[in-house]
Amino acid sequence: MAYSAKIGPSILNSDLSCLGSECSRMMDCGADYLHLDVMDGHFVPNITFGHPVVECLWKHLGPEPFFDMHMMVARPEQWVQPMAVAGANQYTFHLEATSNAGNLIKEIRQNGMKVGLAIKPGTTVEELAPWAGQIDMALVMTVEPGFGGQKFMEDMMPKVSWLRSQFPSLDIEVDGGVGPDSIHKCAEAGANMIVSGSAIMKSEDPRSVISLLRNVCAEAIQKRSLDR
Ligand SMILES: O=C(CO)[C@@H](O)[C@H](O)COP(=O)(O)O
Ligand SMILES: [Fe+2]
């Protein structure tokens, strides 16, 4: 069991006028990585930012924070190289957005990044499974991608459990509506990379929320290892 509990705040609902300091604040509060949501107005009905902003963040923050790029874009092939140059560490693309996932995985690796593969709520986990041996992380969306602050979809948990049973050492991320109320479900199902946006950003004490999320997740991982 090679994976560990990691918490990645999503900065989508932060004060975007001071994105750099919001990211620093999250790292200072104990975040394990930063989950950066890229939206192009085509794949999802919302727009955020692209590689120029990522490059500025990298310059502002230095090489330490791990940038997990959640690419909610219609043409994920187009942004692989620019994101790598900008300082992205992991390129998480949506299976629904490409007809050649194999090629894209290869390209991401050639550009020196880790590979994340995301599925929307309507996509089955069996569609992701053929690629699981070639990726670093599977992202099971627990809301329809596009906006922060939505309600957690508990009915996505069987996907996480199935992935955990089939791929015991894979990093499995959940994203959407995750916070203190829903973390137990995610952790029990087998998720180990936890994205949380509004629950952390809107809290008066983000450090405690991050620490709570990590503790719940770490306990579930330990329990699973004892049960094996
Ligand atoms: O990718 C997305 C939404 O599309 C997420 O990363 C959310 O932005 C997470 O925010 P909360 O749902 O936790 O508020
Ligand atoms: Fe996301």
Side-chain angles (χ1 to χ4, degrees), residues 8-13 35-39 44 46 70 72 94 139 141-152 174-179 195-200 202:
S10 155
I11 45 73
L12 194 57
N13 278 2
H35 177 89
L36 304 178
D37 291 300
V38 175
M39 304 185 186
V44 289
N46 198 3
H70 182 187
M72 288 166 273
H94 270 267
L139 164 53
M141 288 303 296
T142 46
V143 296
E144 281 301 336
F147 300 91
Q150 301 182 74
K151 189 177 178 302
F152 174 73
V174 283
D175 179 16
V178 182
V195 175
S196 179
S198 8
I200 294 177
K202 295 207 168 119

Side-chain angles (χ1 to χ4, degrees), residues 101-102 105-106 109 115 130-136:
I105 290 169
K106 223 181 288 164
R109 288 218 189 282
V115 180
W131 308 107
Q134 298 177 43
I135 61 177
D136 297 290

Side-chain angles (χ1 to χ4, degrees), residues 42-184:
H42 294 282
F43 184 72
V44 289
N46 198 3
I47 297 180
T48 54
F49 53 82
H51 57 93
V53 170
V54 176
E55 188 179 337
C56 292
L57 283 178
W58 195 90
K59 285 182 182 149
H60 181 86
L61 297 162
E64 203 236 313
F66 182 92
F67 286 178
D68 170 31
M69 305 307 311
H70 182 187
M71 301 300 295
M72 288 166 273
V73 299
R75 295 169 60 195
E77 293 80 7
Q78 191 175 349
W79 310 111
V80 172
Q81 206 209 2
M83 281 298 178
V85 171
N89 299 96
Q90 178 159 276
Y91 194 90
T92 301
F93 68 96
H94 270 267
L95 187 56
E96 302 86 1
T98 183
S99 54
N100 196 342
N103 218 32
L104 190 46
I105 290 169
K106 223 181 288 164
E107 239 173 82
I108 296 167
R109 288 218 189 282
Q110 279 166 358
N111 278 274
M113 295 181 288
K114 288 183 134 187
V115 180
L117 180 53
I119 51 171
K120 297 207 287 185
T123 303
T124 66
V125 79
E126 284 79 10
E127 292 168 76
L128 182 149
W131 308 107
Q134 298 177 43
I135 61 177
D136 297 290
M137 185 200 82
L139 164 53
V140 175
M141 288 303 296
T142 46
V143 296
E144 281 301 336
F147 300 91
Q150 301 182 74
K151 189 177 178 302
F152 174 73
M153 295 169 74
E154 190 178 336
D155 55 341
M156 294 298 116
M157 291 304 96
K159 291 187 189 179
V160 176
S161 310
W162 187 84
L163 276 176
R164 180 52 71 218
S165 69
Q166 300 298 307
F167 306 102
S169 57
L170 184 65
D171 275 328
I172 303 175
E173 185 176 67
V174 283
D175 179 16
V178 182
D181 294 341
S182 46
I183 185 62
H184 289 86

